[in-house]
């Protein structure tokens, strides 16, 4: 039962991060809401950087789906633990950029904690 809950949560993380990546292609101005103040979302150079991030986000979501479909809970658990470094790193970037604490802790930090919890559940259950 606990593994099923962790799998559903992992799937939600995969859907969410893929959605964020896809949205960055179609609405780059939405990136301003993820915590870095003064992001020049209308600047073509920034949009190119954002496209690189979007590809990373979409791929991360796809990795989760692939592991959900064909891997053991242990492998998905290890992946989730390792991948928690992405939102933790994002939180650090937003924090160092004097971004809003809500984005640091409420968006990126909370995502990292949830991913760590999912990883631990999958490894111990």
């Amino acid at each position: 039962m606990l593994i099923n809950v962790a799998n559903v949560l992992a799937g939600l993380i995969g859907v969410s991060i893929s959605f964020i990546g896809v949205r960055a292609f179609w609405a780059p101005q939405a990136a301003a809401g993820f915590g870095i103040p003064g992001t020049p979302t209308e600047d073509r150079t920034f949009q190119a950087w954002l496209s690189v991030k979007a590809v990373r986000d979409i791929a991360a979501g796809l990795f989760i789906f692939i592991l959900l479909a064909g891997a053991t809970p242990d492998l998905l658990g290890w992946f989730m633990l390792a991948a928690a470094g992405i939102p933790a790193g994002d939180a650090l970037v937003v924090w160092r950029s004097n971004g809003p604490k809500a984005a640091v802790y409420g968006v990126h930090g909370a995502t990292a904690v949830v991913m760590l919890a999912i990883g631990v559940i999958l490894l111990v259950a």
Side-chain angles (χ1 to χ4, degrees):
M1 173 67 178
L2 205 51
I3 287 181
N4 290 337
V5 170
N7 282 336
V8 167
L9 291 173
L12 289 173
I13 295 282
V15 167
S16 298
I17 196 63
S18 294
F19 174 76
I20 289 168
V22 168
R23 191 172 80 165
F25 281 121
W26 278 281
Q29 64 278 9
F34 284 92
I36 299 174
T39 51
T41 55
E42 301 306 319
D43 179 62
R44 299 285 296 157
T45 302
F46 179 76
Q47 288 179 5
W49 174 87
L50 190 58
S51 294
V52 171
K53 182 191 172 309
V55 169
R56 177 197 81 167
D57 289 345
I58 294 167
L62 291 175
F63 293 152
I64 292 172
F65 300 142
I66 290 166
L67 291 170
L68 278 168
T72 64
D74 282 351
L75 185 56
L76 177 59
W78 284 114
F79 175 82
M80 295 302 286
L81 288 178
I86 295 170
D90 291 347
L92 182 61
V93 168
V94 173
W95 176 73
R96 290 186 66 196
S97 300
N98 295 317
K101 300 293 187 246
V104 173
Y105 301 111
V107 176
H108 304 296
T111 301
V113 168
V114 169
M115 290 176 74
L116 288 171
I118 292 167
V120 168
I121 289 169
L122 290 167
L123 289 171
V124 300

